[in-house]
Amino acid sequence: METTILLDKWKTAPDVDEIMAHLRKQIEERHAGGRYGRDELRRETALWLSEVMGGPAPGESALHHYLDTIGEWRMQLHPNFSTHRGRIGRLFVWLKKRVLHPPLRWIVEIVEVNAWRQDRLNISLLNLLEEMALEIGRLRARLDRLERPKIDGPDKTSP
Amino acid sequence: MKIAFVIHRYGVELVGGSEFHCRRIAEELSARHQVEVLTTTASDYITWQDGYAPGLETVNGVKVRRFRTERKRDLAWFKDISDLCYYDKRHTRADELEWVRLNGPESPELVRFIKDHQAEFDVFIFYSYRYYQTYFGLAEVPGKSILVPTAEEDPAVGLSIFSEFFALPAGILFLTPEEEDLVGRVSRMGLPPSEVIGFAVDVPPGLDPEGFKERRGLADPFILYIGRVDRNKGCDGLFRYFQEYLKWKARPVDLVLGGSAALPIPSHPRIKSLGFLSDREKFEALQACRLLVMPSPYESLCIVVLEAWKSGRCTLVNGLCKVLREQTRRSGGGLYYYSFAEFCETLDFLLDNPEIRDALGRTGREYMEENFEWVHVVGKIERLIARTIPTR
């Protein structure tokens, strides 16, 4: 349907899915038509990077998932207060919590900022790797589609 | 019927989605039932610092009984135990119970009251699954309890103790179908009968949006954000997007913020912060703006979006938040974005097409009137109670 007809229709009966599809098509057309200048591309890339570096929550990404299954990889700063000593162990846990925890906290606070930076860098790099893997996958699929007719198209259909 | 509402904090001056939801529903139900609110003396949602005296008082015609909290929230301890429970697979059930206790507000006196006085009430409505009074209080009276989980897609909902807990109450009141879906996914033992209630909005009469603009020195056109200005609410992303949008489009449009700031607000001539808005000012701002923008990635129900629709204003929301996106699609009251390109395209479209923008706002208002009037909300609560709680 022509844009003007759609715009007229939406003035009385707006349809969210239809409008979103229309706007997404416009964005795609602009990308495909190469109408983004260098500045626009740089801006898009910078924003994309900032989103990826912020990253998904742990567990949402496939790479995080695989790393979780092969072992510990996240920085861990919380003290472990568990015990394997049964009833007597409770006394040890109590001592750890009441006596060891305050100085431990003090040390943790000193290293925490650096550890947090390292943790963030780890997560960001993983997110970037995953996004790049996705992009490569997408481009490879597109390349396959484009190259297929050249490889097996004309021979099979020609008499 | 005698109904007890159990919530972590309660008061007219408190800003918070679940607190406001609870207060308004308690006030509405008090017109037809005997209502009492059981809560703590805490007023600060981060530290549980006391702001109220223990004992009985009346708030907007509703009887409120406050109990002392044992201690303030120890943020360092809570951070440690959260890291342990969220990310370390070796953590135990005892660690998770400790997480609930440290999350607070710890008030054993309130839990004891529920246990000792349960016979005096027909039903207990517990707010927010993650807090001390709900987890331990509901366990004392599961057969006559209704849970309002207010669950969001965050790591806490995945803790194993909650997968059993959600099966415990006699009934559950969800705020949105997406929340129902989320809780259904994490509950290992199925869910009790439930209703999706949403929320009703009352627009104050005699609003003066033009006067509001003049008083606050606002110029047309502006888009509005209302809520806590916080990283958790996606405001840092909104600032980034909006400033880039202005650089790209050079369009004369302001971003106006209504809410207290927990994040530095960029110094930009087109970004204006009004600070906290009273209820009346909030609705005047909604009527004066072009549209409401809501960048939050985590919401179980965004009341200000419902308020915008009830005011006939369209909304532009973060599509990464499933609740906001699906609610927008259901209501037909606005658009959503996933990326910067979509943010620019949707914002341009809404600013350039005032008739479509108004039509979206109208559709949102009709959706609110058809589904979320008080008669619908109260009716659903009473229906669930009748279905699930045995009468005395």
Side-chain angles (χ1 to χ4, degrees), chain A residues 3-133:
Chain A
T3 304
T4 45
I5 301 172
L6 282 172
L7 290 175
D8 278 343
K9 183 191 149 199
W10 292 332
K11 283 175 191 170
T12 49
D15 181 318
V16 175
D17 288 344
E18 239 175 47
I19 297 174
M20 288 305 302
H22 171 76
L23 296 178
R24 284 194 180 126
K25 202 168 149 217
Q26 281 190 350
I27 296 171
E28 272 173 27
E29 281 170 4
R30 208 169 22 243
H31 275 291
R35 267 176 274 166
Y36 273 130
R38 197 179 165 76
D39 281 351
E40 277 78 39
L41 272 177
R42 185 172 290 161
R43 184 176 295 127
E44 284 257 315
T45 310
L47 283 161
W48 172 78
L49 274 173
S50 72
E51 274 161 33
V52 173
M53 298 292 274
E60 283 175 19
S61 120
L63 267 174
H64 292 166
H65 171 74
Y66 290 126
L67 283 165
D68 272 346
T69 57
I70 59 171
E72 299 295 339
W73 67 277
R74 284 197 64 122
M75 307 275 300
Q76 289 181 351
L77 290 170
H78 56 266
N80 188 357
F81 292 126
S82 59
T83 176
H84 62 277
R85 292 190 177 86
R87 190 168 286 187
I88 189 77
R90 284 191 202 160
L91 177 67
F92 285 104
V93 169
W94 185 86
L95 282 171
K96 278 186 197 172
K97 279 186 179 177
R98 298 291 160 216
V99 182
L100 281 182
H101 189 258
L104 197 61
R105 248 278 138 218
W106 179 66
I107 295 165
V108 161
E109 272 162 19
I110 295 170
V111 298
E112 193 170 31
V113 176
N114 286 321
W116 179 82
R117 281 189 195 128
Q118 183 64 53
D119 199 34
R120 190 173 148 70
L121 182 68
N122 293 350
I123 294 172
S124 302
L125 289 174
L126 282 174
N127 291 339
L128 280 171
L129 278 175
E130 174 148 335
E131 285 293 326
M132 284 165 70

